C-alpha cells in the first residue's frame, strides 16, 4: 500500500513586524561561524539558533546582505554563500546593533547641539527651530526645515 503525502504543518508562530538589528546579527554571526575562515558557506534557515524571524524575513536579510556587498548567494532552502571582504569589516565594527546604536547616538548629539544653538539664537528664531524640530516627522523633514531657517538667517 502506498503512503499518502500530506502537506507539512503550517507555521503558526508569530513573527515580528520589523527585522531587528539583533536578528540580523544572528544571521551575520552564523554565516561567519559556518564559513569558519573560508570564503564560502552553506547556510540553512532552520540551523540558525534562536532566530526569531520568518523564513521570508530571513530571505530579506540575505537580500540586504547581498545589496550591501557582504555576500553573493545561490539557492533557496540551502543557500550557497560566497563571502565578500565587507562582511568581515562590518562584523569587526560590531554589526547591525552597533550601527543602530551609532544612529541613535547621532540623534542625541544633534539634539544637544540644537539645544546649545537655541540658547545662542534670538527668541523668535529659537521658536522657529523648536517648531521645526517638534513638527518634523522624519530626518528629511528635520534637515529641510533647519536648512530653511539657516537660509533665512543668512539673508
Amino acid at each position: 500500500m502506498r503512503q499518502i503525502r500530506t502537506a507539512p504543518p503550517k507555521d503558526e508562530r508569530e513573527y515580528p513586524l520589523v527585522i531587528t538589528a539583533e536578528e540580523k546579527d544572528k544571521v551575520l554571526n552564523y554565516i561567519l561561524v559556518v564559513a569558519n575562515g573560508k570564503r564560502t558557506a552553506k547556510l540553512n534557515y532552520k540551523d540558525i539558533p534562536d532566530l526569531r524571524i520568518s523564513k521570508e524575513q530571513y530571505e530579506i536579510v540575505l537580500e540586504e546582505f547581498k545589496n550591501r556587498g557582504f555576500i553573493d548567494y545561490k539557492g533557496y532552502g540551502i543557500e550557497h554563500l560566497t563571502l565578500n571582504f565587507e562582511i568581515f569589516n562590518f562584523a569587526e565594527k560590531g554589526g547591525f546593533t552597533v550601527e543602530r546604536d551609532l544612529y541613535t547616538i547621532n540623534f542625541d548629539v544633534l539634539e544637544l547641539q540644537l539645544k546649545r544653538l537655541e540658547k545662542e539664537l534670538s527668541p523668535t528664531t529659537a521658536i522657529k527651530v523648536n517648531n521645526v524640530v517638534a513638527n518634523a516627522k522624519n530626518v528629511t523633514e528635520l534637515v529641510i526645515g533647519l536648512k530653511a531657517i539657516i537660509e533665512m538667517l543668512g539673508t
Side-chain angles (χ1 to χ4, degrees):
M1 195 153 126
R2 204 166 125 176
Q3 295 285 334
I4 298 174
R5 287 182 49 178
T6 58
K10 185 178 177 188
D11 188 356
E12 300 285 334
R13 292 177 286 180
E14 289 190 25
Y15 294 104
L17 297 177
V18 296
I19 304 167
T20 64
E22 288 79 9
E23 297 305 309
K24 291 182 200 177
D25 278 342
K26 287 177 188 176
V27 176
L28 174 75
N29 292 326
Y30 193 72
I31 289 171
L32 295 174
V33 167
V34 170
N36 193 27
K38 298 177 185 153
R39 185 171 179 155
T40 60
K42 287 183 183 176
L43 194 65
N44 191 333
Y45 165 76
K46 295 182 275 185
D47 295 337
I48 303 173
D50 268 348
L51 192 60
R52 292 188 177 96
I53 57 176
S54 70
K55 175 89 167 130
E56 289 79 13
Q57 289 172 318
Y58 161 77
E59 292 291 330
I60 292 169
V61 170
L62 289 182
E63 191 67 32
E64 179 183 354
F65 287 11
K66 184 177 179 180
N67 291 340
R68 285 183 170 222
F70 296 166
I71 61 170
D72 291 315
Y73 74 95
K74 295 177 186 164
Y76 186 81
I78 296 177
E79 281 72 33
H80 298 274
L81 308 177
T82 303
L83 282 59
N84 297 320
F85 188 73
E86 290 82 4
I87 196 169
F88 300 105
N89 283 338
F90 189 72
E92 181 185 23
K93 292 175 185 172
F96 290 96
T97 50
V98 170
E99 182 181 64
R100 181 204 53 213
D101 293 345
L102 287 173
Y103 184 77
T104 304
I105 288 169
N106 284 336
F107 275 108
D108 292 342
V109 169
L110 177 62
E111 182 181 13
L112 290 172
Q113 289 174 338
L114 288 173
K115 285 180 181 180
R116 189 189 74 207
L117 181 63
E118 184 179 27
K119 292 175 185 175
E120 298 171 6
L121 298 174
S122 69
T124 56
T125 306
I127 290 170
K128 290 177 184 174
V129 169
N130 279 335
N131 286 337
V132 166
V133 172
N135 294 322
K137 292 179 183 72
N138 56 44
V139 177
T140 305
E141 286 184 10
L142 178 63
V143 170
I144 291 170
L146 292 175
K147 184 176 178 185
I149 291 173
I150 291 169
E151 287 173 358
M152 183 184 68
L153 291 173
T155 56

